[in-house]
Amino acid sequence: MNKTIFRSVLLACCIVMMFSLAVTLLFLNSYFIDIEFDNLRAQAEFTAQAVDKVGLEYFESFSSDIYRITWIEADGNVIFDSDADEAAMENHLDRDEIREALAYGHGQDRRLSDTLSRETLYSAVRISDGSVVRLSVTQASVLRITLGVIPYMLAVLVLALVLCMFISRRISRRIIDPLNRLDLDRPLENETYEELSPLLVRIDNQNRQIEKQIDTIRTRQKEFDSITDNMREGMIILNKADLVVSMNTSAMKLFGGSPSVIGKNILVLDRSVELMGALEEVKKKGRSEYFFERNGFVNRLIANLIQDDNGRTLGTCILIVDETEKVLSEGMRKEFSANVSHELKTPLHSILASSELLMNNLVKESDKMGFIGRIHSEAEHLVTLIEDIIRLSQLDETKEFPKEDVSMKEVVTSVTEALGGYARDRGVAIECDVQDVSFTGVQRLVYEIVFNLVDNAIRYNREGGHVWIAASAVDDGVRLVVRDDGIGIPKEHQARIFERFYRVDTSHSRSTGGTGLGLSIVKHAAMVMHSTVELESSEGKGSVFTLTFPKQGG
Ligand code: ADP
């Protein structure tokens, strides 16, 4: 820019100088002509006086390289000419300077000479006898004078040029230096020449607009980040070249990435054949999907192409959904169905076998009652089993249970009434320390929880054993504790006894009428009321089940 301004100013100066030189030469030429006319007239008047006095003899002594002298009679006839043969010369009455001189005493003209064919200045003076003496000089002499000035002028021109260069450099610096020093972040605080003010005001306005736009973009980015970061699903946005544009927290956790991955190729994070295949497929088909396992979780990756309104590809959006629960529950469902069939088959086989023997009269009369009793107890077991399965499936399917005020004392009383006979039969004593506490929950489910826990505490006890039921108010809730001094649960089984159909000792459970579903029902029902089940147990000493129901139990 500095050079451009310098060159422009210099060029402008040169043009102005050349123009000035040409105009000056023109003026000088015309000025020199005026001077030459004045000289010529003085010479002509001097010569005219001499001729007037001396007559034709004056010309004998006249000699000049510069001037030409012509003497013309009043009728235009040439009497004498210093450069031409007067006898051959035509009448001069039509010459402007002659006519003027005859009329006014003096006349002058500038024209191409007929005789010499050169631009000539003429000055004519009338003398006393009415004739005219004329002096003329060619303009070449004037031009010579003018051209003689040119070397001086060129010298001045060179000097002026040097001066121009110096001034141009200073001007360009004075324009450019303040521009280079401008603080474009705070344009209005610059102290500079006035002409820059409109530009600085505009820059300031634009700066403010840019700041506003950046603020808006930042706010949108924050909104986008907080939405995507709170998503449980992983989300990755790639540009056309598969470089990561955005990646939420879930995706970072899953792939073990960090914010430094932004701007890098997605394959830096994961080089798996599946991902490469998915990226290729998404470009061909617009969508691709696959399952992968990581850190014990099963994930579904869905990649979708992002396109603009004109169908141009902008990038790819990848969603990673945790499908572990779905896959697990699918597996659990399959396992549950297999278990149910198995659990149903055992008593049914027993019923079938006993009834067949009876039908075919293959049982001794004295044993018949025993067979009938077995059929009855297996049928009873089937009913209990089916009831438990129904209860569990109700718990699985029901999303919302109607809530009510649950009195723990009432529930425990009805459970002890229902199980009192069973406890007596097994020689187990039930002791209660239940305060009159209540909370918001599902009465039927609380009953099932207490029933199953007390039922187990009796079932897995021994003759002379005890069951203690306690309920009390705790911080913002009600605590239920069912303790027994029965057989206890070995450590290695404690984590699994809440699984469906899991039993520590299958034959003991079956023989005592257990279904293997009691604690699953307890756990599920407790979850409905946002309560957890804690277990403490040691083999041979007994078990303690503790549940805390929140005051507003869900
Ligand atoms: P079940 O119908 O077999 O009792 P549960 O789901 O109620 O099924 O219990 C699972 C297993 O946990 C039982 O088979 C038993 O082995 C063990 N168990 C449950 N409660 C107790 C307890 N109070 N004392 C000892 N073992 C228990």
Side-chain angles (χ1 to χ4, degrees), residues 290-318:
Y290 73 90
F291 282 90
F292 67 98
E293 225 187 297
R294 184 153 302 186
N295 310 329
F297 290 93
V298 182
N299 301 291
R300 182 210 293 258
L301 185 144
I302 308 155
N304 274 304
L305 211 61
I306 311 169
Q307 291 180 321
D308 67 7
D309 296 342
N310 303 321
R312 263 184 309 159
T313 301
L314 302 175
T316 309
C317 176
I318 297 177

Side-chain angles (χ1 to χ4, degrees), residues 10 13 17 29 32-33 49 63 87 113 123 128 183 196 215 225 253 267 297 312 368 389 433 444 458 468 485 494 546:
L10 193 63
C13 285
M17 276 187 329
N29 196 43
F32 286 145
I33 286 171
Q49 277 175 20
S63 130
S113 155
S123 188
S128 56
D183 178 358
L196 276 182
D215 271 357
D225 285 349
K253 270 190 207 149
L267 298 177
F297 290 93
R312 263 184 309 159
K368 269 188 182 167
I389 292 170
D433 177 16
R444 185 170 62 81
I458 301 166
W468 292 273
D485 53 359
Q494 288 180 11
T546 308

Side-chain angles (χ1 to χ4, degrees), residues 27 80 120 137 157 166 169 206 241 243 254 287 323 328 338 356 429 456 490 505 524 529:
F27 276 120
F80 173 79
T120 311
V137 68
L157 199 71
F166 175 71
R169 183 152 293 136
Q206 281 186 349
L243 302 183
L254 193 73
R287 184 185 163 88
E323 302 261 320
L328 281 182
E356 259 173 34
N456 280 349
D505 179 349
H524 220 320
M529 288 171 280

Side-chain angles (χ1 to χ4, degrees), residues 36 125 145 274 341 433 446 490 528:
E36 195 59 41
V125 176
I145 298 169
E274 291 95 332
S341 329
D433 177 16
V446 181
V528 171

Side-chain angles (χ1 to χ4, degrees), residues 456 460 484 488-489 497 502-504 509 514-519 543:
N456 280 349
Y460 303 105
D484 66 72
I489 305 161
I497 54 163
Y502 189 85
R503 298 151 166 126
V504 176
S509 163
T515 59
L517 295 174
L519 287 181
S543 311

Side-chain angles (χ1 to χ4, degrees), residues 27 62 100 199 219 236 270 304 309 316 328 331 346 376 380 475 500 507-508 514 538:
F27 276 120
F62 180 84
E100 259 178 62
L199 176 73
T219 318
I236 305 171
D270 188 297
N304 274 304
D309 296 342
T316 309
L328 281 182
T346 318
H376 182 260
E380 250 185 350
D475 288 348
R500 295 173 185 195
S507 60
H508 183 189
S538 56

